[in-house]
Amino acid sequence: MRTPDPIEIGGHRVGPGERPFVIAEVSGNHNGSLDRALEIVDAIAGTGAQAVKFQTYRADTITIDADGPAFRIRDDHGLWGGRNLYQLYEQAHTPWEWHDPLFARAREHGLVPFSSPFDPTAIELLESLDAPAYKVASAELVDLPLIRAMAATGKPMVISTGMATLAEIDAAVAAAREGGATQVVLLACTASYPADPVDANLQTIPALREAFGVPIGLSDHTPGIGVPVAAVALGAVAIEKHVTLQRADGGVDSDFSLEPAELASLVTETDVARRAMGPARFGPRESERDTLALRRSLWVVADVAAGEQVTADNVRSIRPAGGLHTDTIGTVLGRTFTRDVARGTPLTWDLI
């Protein structure tokens, strides 16, 4: 299959062969404080991540204030058990008036700021801030009119695929293209919070690339950085992770968020994984030249005189290279030396 062409988000090429595009998600980790949100952006700037992402909604634009069973999270959910959706989103949302200072702070640091809009008014706000891209959250993948509205801006689109069937992903990609999007990245995703690595199913990454012919990344909610590193080894070109200052501070997303030092490690190690994924090859590399010279071979390990017999005491397989192949030992044992040979001489055919 043809390698997908890279796309561009905020001046960064995102695609095969490029450094992984790391998206640091602030989400609700601001804990209701603009100062904390700005501090998170400052911390992200020191990690090497290229982008910072927000979520743009109000409780009234993402749900309604209702308390029926469908509007509550199941009681045994590890993070949000029993919570009313409206109250949860009221706590977690990023207020409209915060977006301008947050985008400005990100740009001061050279970060690419963008967001997930959850309704048309959010798109209007983000357009007023010249957002360079749009993110479709996993639960919104089935909102095809919303996807078409994002696509109509002409901006690149990053689409998370958590929970989605292949048919639903196909419909979302088609809606984006119908709406005018020419640059699309799909993110493999497990939409559980936190996610168990066993549910990551990272072989989905090459399967999505084959099915849709676009760059594929990962939106990850597992603890740590192991899953993102493995994802890059399987071809992921973008990684999204939630970030907080300290998990101990608490908050709606803290349990599955990275701290800044961990995000810096993710940036480093995913790029190591990317650079390690060269083509299959055999034989010595140029970088192995010095070690190649240390291969074992047959050497004379004791001073010998002409006419002496070759024995296991005066000829051995040792490092370095330079002597006869080690497997010739059975052929040379019992022969005689043609001349005096000093200890530390590589054994060659002319010596016996």
Side-chain angles (χ1 to χ4, degrees):
M1 178 189 160
R2 185 178 68 84
T3 300
D5 293 329
I7 71 166
E8 186 172 304
I9 297 179
H12 296 273
R13 285 168 59 85
V14 182
E18 306 294 333
R19 175 187 164 203
F21 187 67
V22 177
I23 305 163
E25 165 70 74
V26 176
S27 184
N29 285 324
H30 51 67
N31 293 354
S33 165
L34 173 58
D35 287 341
R36 179 180 171 88
L38 291 167
E39 192 176 351
I40 293 173
V41 173
D42 293 340
I44 290 167
T47 66
Q50 299 97 317
V52 57
K53 195 185 79 68
F54 307 97
Q55 295 184 4
T56 307
Y57 63 86
R58 294 187 175 102
D60 287 317
T61 65
I62 196 171
T63 189
I64 60 172
D65 190 2
D67 206 30
F71 290 88
R72 282 191 171 273
I73 297 170
R74 60 181 171 81
D75 289 339
D76 60 347
H77 188 279
L79 293 183
W80 309 318
R83 296 287 300 274
N84 168 285
L85 289 182
Y86 189 90
Q87 294 168 352
L88 176 64
Y89 297 141
E90 186 69 26
Q91 176 188 354
H93 84 288
T94 301
W96 250 231
E97 62 271 19
W98 290 10
H99 282 67
D100 190 12
L102 287 169
F103 271 52
R105 182 67 65 87
R107 285 169 169 148
E108 287 172 12
H109 288 301
L111 292 167
V112 177
F114 69 111
S115 187
S116 299
F118 289 79
D119 78 293
T121 67
I123 298 173
E124 291 175 12
L125 171 65
L126 295 170
E127 279 296 284
S128 74
L129 298 172
D130 196 24
Y134 285 96
K135 165 73 188 298
V136 179
S138 288
E140 276 58 45
L141 177 137
V142 294
D143 191 340
L144 301 186
L146 180 62
I147 290 175
R148 292 187 188 101
M150 293 185 221
T153 68
K155 307 287 180 64
M157 295 186 63
V158 181
I159 303 176
S160 273
T161 61
M163 306 173 287
T165 66
L166 198 60
E168 289 170 335
I169 299 169
D170 185 55
V173 171
R177 288 174 171 157
E178 290 164 7
T182 59
Q183 299 190 87
V184 173
V185 174
L186 293 176
L187 301 185
C189 179
T190 304
S192 55
Y193 309 92
D196 189 326
V198 77
D199 292 328
N201 297 109
L202 292 181
Q203 295 291 347
T204 303
I205 291 168
L208 284 171
R209 187 172 59 244
E210 181 176 355
F212 295 101
V214 300
I216 307 299
L218 175 73
S219 178
D220 182 52
H221 307 112
T222 65
I225 68 172
V227 169
V229 171
V232 170
L234 286 168
V237 301
I239 301 292
E240 181 186 54
K241 286 285 279 192
H242 287 238
V243 180
T244 189
L245 295 176
Q246 296 183 95
R247 278 185 295 276
D249 293 342
V252 293
D253 296 335
S254 61
D255 280 10
F256 55 91
S257 297
L258 296 182
E259 295 180 359
E262 296 167 328
L263 180 64
S265 294
L266 180 146
V267 170
T268 298
E269 297 306 320
T270 54
D271 194 42
V272 168
R274 189 266 308 178
R275 291 186 288 115
M277 292 305 297
R281 63 156 297 168
F282 301 94
R285 297 156 180 80
E286 177 60 26
S287 63
E288 297 174 308
R289 181 180 57 185
D290 291 343
T291 310
L292 183 65
L294 299 180
R295 274 183 164 179
R296 298 177 76 98
S297 65
L298 298 185
W299 284 71
V300 179
V301 295
D303 293 336
V304 296
E308 279 192 47
Q309 195 172 59
V310 177
T311 70
D313 292 325
N314 57 33
V315 169
R316 286 173 44 209
S317 166
I318 64 170
R319 292 186 179 190
L324 293 177
H325 193 283
T326 58
D327 203 36
T328 62
I329 187 68
T331 303
V332 301
L333 287 175
R335 297 196 181 194
T336 56
F337 285 96
T338 59
R339 57 180 183 268
D340 296 349
V341 182
R343 178 177 181 270
T345 301
L347 185 67
T348 52
W349 289 117
D350 61 302
L351 298 182
I352 56 175

